[in-house]
Amino acid sequence: MQPTSLRRILTTPVLLLLATTLACAGDKSLTREEATQRVDAIGRLSAEIEQAEGEGLALLAPKGVAAARSALDDAVATARSGALTDAERLAEKGFGRLEQARQDSKQSAAVLREVLDGRQRAVAAGAPDLLPERFKELDGELREAARLAEDGDIEDAQEATPDLLRGYSALELESLKVDATDLARAAIKAARDAGAERYAPDTFDRAEKELNIATGILETDRSRVDQANVNARKATELANRSQFVAE
């Protein structure tokens, strides 16, 4: 074998390895964190979107917030590829989308004002924690109504109002009942299981009556939660006493 041919055979793998290494180095993209550090607008847009979502903007202007987040994702992807100037431009576009969302949310809030008030009462009653799945589902329906308002379909958005009002009102009432009467119901069940209806019927009956009073208060006047709690605690006390007698 000629020396030149031998040299070619030996050097070819080395050259291929070098070319592959250089190609990989050239293809290396920035991480999301690096992209955020190099393009200031990306970091600012991300922070503003998070703040807007925390303030409930995504509930009133879901399309606008989604558009802003899409612009953010595009800016990050572009920055990761090394096109930092284009990434800056895309991020600035996101700020415009977010500002439009803020403007659109004012109309949604005006159209759905009663619903938002009802939702706030449900939140105050603890519905997001006590009935999380139903609250989340209802919020999804609210976002859909707000999306209609964003698109200018005011009448369609208003048509959703009665069902939303009923939904949030029901969540508020159920949450108040759980909060005020759940322990009483558990105590009465335990007393019944222990035979209190047979061995301490009067006390057990009084416990049930106090629970019914508490429930009735919440159904007729939700502002009297404190009084309902008094009756619910009395029901719990009586149920525990009847259980003690039965045992």
Side-chain angles (χ1 to χ4, degrees):
M1 182 179 292
Q2 296 295 325
T4 302
S5 299
L6 181 60
R7 246 189 336 268
R8 187 179 299 113
I9 292 171
L10 293 174
T11 57
T12 297
V14 176
L15 292 173
L16 288 173
L17 178 61
L18 179 61
T20 302
T21 302
L22 291 173
C24 290
D27 290 341
K28 182 181 179 182
S29 61
L30 300 175
T31 65
R32 189 180 185 93
E33 182 179 356
E34 289 171 336
T36 301
Q37 290 174 346
R38 295 196 184 189
V39 182
D40 178 67
I42 289 178
R44 290 188 290 109
L45 178 59
S46 179
E48 284 204 25
I49 290 175
E50 287 186 15
Q51 180 180 348
E53 289 178 336
E55 294 170 351
L57 187 63
L59 196 64
L60 293 173
K63 287 182 64 176
V65 173
R69 188 163 284 284
S70 178
L72 173 63
D73 291 340
D74 290 344
V76 170
T78 302
R80 292 187 65 187
S81 71
L84 303 185
T85 301
D86 289 340
E88 185 88 22
R89 177 180 54 79
L90 288 169
E92 291 298 335
K93 182 180 178 181
F95 285 113
R97 300 289 191 222
L98 200 57
E99 180 56 33
Q100 184 62 52
R102 290 192 177 98
Q103 295 303 316
D104 291 341
S105 72
K106 296 177 182 178
Q107 176 167 270
S108 299
V111 172
L112 300 167
R113 173 54 54 198
E114 288 184 80
V115 176
L116 294 174
D117 290 343
R119 180 182 185 274
Q120 186 55 45
R121 288 193 295 271
V123 170
D129 295 323
L130 296 170
L131 304 164
E133 291 185 6
R134 289 177 57 191
F135 186 82
K136 183 178 180 181
E137 180 181 353
L138 205 56
D139 268 4
E141 295 176 15
L142 175 56
R143 275 192 294 273
E144 182 57 35
R147 186 176 290 109
L148 291 171
E150 273 187 287
D151 290 337
D153 297 331
I154 305 302
E155 289 186 5
D156 289 341
Q158 289 174 330
E159 285 182 4
T161 297
D163 287 341
L164 287 168
L165 278 172
R166 282 191 292 270
Y168 283 119
S169 180
L171 286 182
E172 178 195 5
L173 178 57
E174 289 185 41
S175 298
L176 289 172
K177 285 182 178 179
V178 169
D179 190 42
T181 64
D182 201 37
L183 287 176
R185 285 195 180 91
I188 288 174
K189 182 180 182 303
R192 179 180 288 110
D193 292 343
E197 284 181 292
R198 178 180 179 184
Y199 296 106
D202 291 340
T203 306
F204 182 83
D205 185 58
R206 287 169 58 200
E208 286 193 314
K209 286 180 179 178
E210 289 292 340
L211 175 59
N212 289 336
I213 291 172
T215 302
I217 289 173
L218 293 174
E219 288 177 345
T220 57
D221 187 356
R222 299 177 197 181
S223 66
R224 298 175 60 201
V225 176
D226 289 343
Q227 181 58 52
N229 280 326
V230 170
N231 292 103
R233 284 193 294 270
K234 184 65 174 177
T236 300
E237 178 185 339
L238 290 167
N240 289 339
R241 190 185 306 167
S242 68
Q243 181 179 355
F244 177 78
V245 172
E247 292 177 340

